[in-house]
Amino acid sequence: MMHINTDYFQIDDLLTEEHKLVRQSVRDFVNQEIKPVIDQHAHEHTDIPGLMQKLGAIGALGPYIPEKYGGAGLDQISYGLIMQELEAGDSAVRSSASVQSSLVMFPIHQYASEEQKMKWLPKLASGELIGCFGLTEPNHGSNPAGMETKFVDKGDHVVLNGAKMWITNSPIADIAVVWAKDEAGDVRGMVVERGMEGFSAPETHNKWSLRASKTGELVFENVKVPKENIFPNIKGLKGPLSCLNSARYGISWGVIGAAIDCYETAVKYSLERTQFGKPIGAFQLQQKKLAEFLTEITKAQLLCWRLGTLKNEDKASPQQISMAKRNNVKMAIDIARESRQILGGMGIVGDYPMMRHAANLESVITYEGTHDVHLLITGMDITGINAFG
Ligand code: TGC
Ligand code: FAD
């Protein structure tokens, strides 16, 4: 099989043996379990059966959560490499792992009581339980501070009312980490469990993106949530926003996987496909595309590696993470779109991954903060002036 170098600046030299082993095991999993079936699931808009348990079995759920709670106790570079390999398979697979790890296990590990951690984390790590994260609402996406979902204190329980929208995996989730306002208007986090009276999670149909995973709503109609399900150690919007830092960091790595999958496909095709008596890879215009893809992938890899080392030292700022998420997702979606052109007509069929990656990345460039929201976060960091409101 032809080897295509996607480590142009020898970043592998900066990785440990453990990082490389983790990456290889997830790459093997994706090659065996995801790539052969992903086109069919995307076409049919169906989940990959048992995906969460399979991800749990390879240690891809909560990789950086301590082993005591069922995690793998790995560092942030390993987490990033896992996301990269999963998204080379499909953004829907990475999304499922992102949400479970960074948006469900992370807040429980960070903000829950010891009892709550022991109750939920090990089962989430193994994939026995599937979690989802409810922040976005029908009327409040980019501006979650405006959320209307609220709860009132009723002694030993609270009563929750409201709705969340665009929630990854909500239709198949056993538990939902939900952010809602108390009577004083403070944002609090809690776990709402499937089966609680008044709680439903209808699916959002007709998506043209992330078709191999489910997205839906969370609807709360006078749901009685026991007080022991509320996280004791967090109050305010920084609770959910801190989870986003972890997920956005993972996305910065993940999308490199999608870009590499498109790049490798385009290089191979350009050497095999002949027009005007030459492989199309012999034409300068096609070489320009390939050279720019590899340059952009390399820049994204370096950004992520450095961000990962900062994150390991707990020094990565939310603004640095925003810059990486914004830059890398744009890099990946541009490569998916441009590389499709190298395949001509063949680029539009499901035998090749570009259309699927490009369609998936339309969600990725929107969720976890839109492309423009991340630009405004950088703009505010530069000028000190808030241009949101
Ligand atoms: P602002 O006044 O700036 O901040 C409120 C409080 O939060 C703190 N904070 C952060 N803390 C930790 N990490 C961050 N990234 C933080 N950003 C802000 C801040 O210090 C403050 O703390 P305190 O102690 O002073 O109260 O908040 P704002 O209301 O002005 O909003 C800022 C803005 C617009 C940047 C923010 O709300 C935002 O990021 N909006 C985008 C919303 C978003 O990204 N939603 C994502 C939903 S989840 C999702 O999409 C999952 S997709 C999953 C998948 O399938 O992979
Ligand atoms: P809006 O906020 O309405 O934005 C619309 C447009 O206006 C965007 O282009 C935006 O950039 C722009 N805009 C908004 N404000 C400003 C401003 N101040 N200045 C300039 N431009 C602005 N959320 C969850 O909580 N949990 C999940 O699991 C989850 N999964 C998702 C899965 C999918 C497939 C998708 C598509 C979304 C998911 N989301 C989830 C929601 C996602 O985070 C939101 O869609 C996103 O934050 C944007 O919110 P919105 O869709 O309401 O767009």
Side-chain angles (χ1 to χ4, degrees), residues 70 84 139 156 229 268 299 370:
Q84 174 185 292
N139 296 328
D156 63 343
N229 282 28
K268 278 187 209 141
K299 284 151 68 177
T370 67

Side-chain angles (χ1 to χ4, degrees), residues 73-351:
L74 295 170
D75 75 350
Q76 292 291 330
I77 302 269
S78 287
Y79 175 53
L81 290 166
I82 291 170
M83 296 293 122
Q84 174 185 292
E85 295 308 315
L86 292 178
E87 198 147 0
D90 195 77
S91 303
V93 177
R94 195 270 308 138
S95 244
S96 289
S98 281
V99 169
Q100 185 95 344
S101 301
S102 285
L103 299 182
V104 180
M105 296 178 73
F106 174 89
I108 294 174
H109 180 248
Q110 209 69 12
Y111 304 125
S113 67
E114 191 58 26
E115 205 184 343
Q116 291 171 328
K117 288 183 205 182
M118 293 312 290
K119 180 173 177 193
W120 289 306
L121 287 176
K123 287 182 182 165
L124 288 161
S126 66
E128 185 185 336
L129 282 183
I130 298 176
C132 68
F133 175 88
L135 178 64
T136 306
E137 299 190 351
N139 296 328
H140 306 279
S142 297
N143 180 25
M147 73 173 69
E148 294 163 48
T149 300
K150 56 179 191 286
F151 63 92
V152 291
D153 194 325
K154 294 283 182 186
D156 63 343
H157 66 274
V158 299
V159 173
L160 180 68
N161 275 290
K164 301 286 175 181
M165 195 176 177
W166 298 118
I167 307 303
T168 298
N169 278 346
S170 82
I172 60 165
D174 302 290
I175 63 170
V177 167
V178 175
W179 301 93
K181 283 181 181 163
D182 64 15
E183 287 153 274
D186 288 322
V187 173
R188 300 294 304 267
M190 66 187 74
V191 171
V192 179
E193 299 173 56
R194 174 172 293 277
M196 286 181 169
E197 209 180 322
F199 171 40
S200 58
E203 184 174 345
T204 301
H205 294 285
N206 210 14
K207 286 187 303 174
W208 284 70
S209 179
L210 297 180
R211 289 176 59 83
S213 90
K214 300 280 183 235
T215 309
E217 296 167 50
L218 297 172
V219 181
F220 314 107
E221 289 170 329
N222 292 318
V223 183
K224 279 187 186 177
V225 182
K227 277 202 177 148
E228 62 256 28
N229 282 28
I230 298 179
F231 300 146
N233 302 325
I234 188 70
K235 197 186 262 193
L237 199 60
K238 60 180 177 290
L241 293 181
S242 65
C243 307
L244 300 185
N245 294 335
S246 180
R248 290 166 177 172
Y249 165 74
I251 289 171
S252 308
W253 280 92
V255 292
I256 296 173
I260 287 178
D261 196 39
C262 294
Y263 170 73
E264 289 181 340
T265 306
V267 172
K268 278 187 209 141
Y269 192 88
S270 75
L271 296 174
E272 286 161 7
R273 173 72 173 168
T274 299
Q275 286 294 288
F276 299 95
K278 289 182 193 166
I280 56 170
F283 299 118
Q284 288 181 359
L285 286 174
Q286 305 309 318
Q287 288 192 6
K288 177 172 186 287
K289 285 192 176 72
L290 297 174
E292 285 175 352
F293 297 164
L294 186 56
T295 307
E296 292 308 313
I297 287 169
T298 302
K299 284 151 68 177
Q301 287 169 326
L302 287 165
L303 205 53
C304 270
W305 180 83
R306 178 61 185 146
L307 191 60
T309 59
L310 287 173
K311 211 154 187 308
N312 275 340
E313 295 164 15
D314 209 14
K315 285 196 216 151
S317 72
Q319 292 80 5
Q320 288 170 330
I321 294 170
S322 279
M323 184 183 280
K325 192 267 184 185
R326 180 173 185 275
N327 181 79
N328 289 11
V329 179
K330 182 69 164 61
M331 172 282 296
I333 200 168
D334 286 348
I335 289 179
R337 289 166 178 162
E338 284 283 308
S339 65
R340 194 216 59 74
Q341 292 192 49
I342 293 182
L343 272 64
M346 291 308 285
I348 71 155
V349 297
D351 305 14

Side-chain angles (χ1 to χ4, degrees), residues 53-71:
Q53 286 96 328
K54 289 178 184 170
L55 290 173
I58 60 162
L61 302 177
Y64 52 80
I65 299 290
E67 287 169 275
K68 176 182 171 196
Y69 300 114

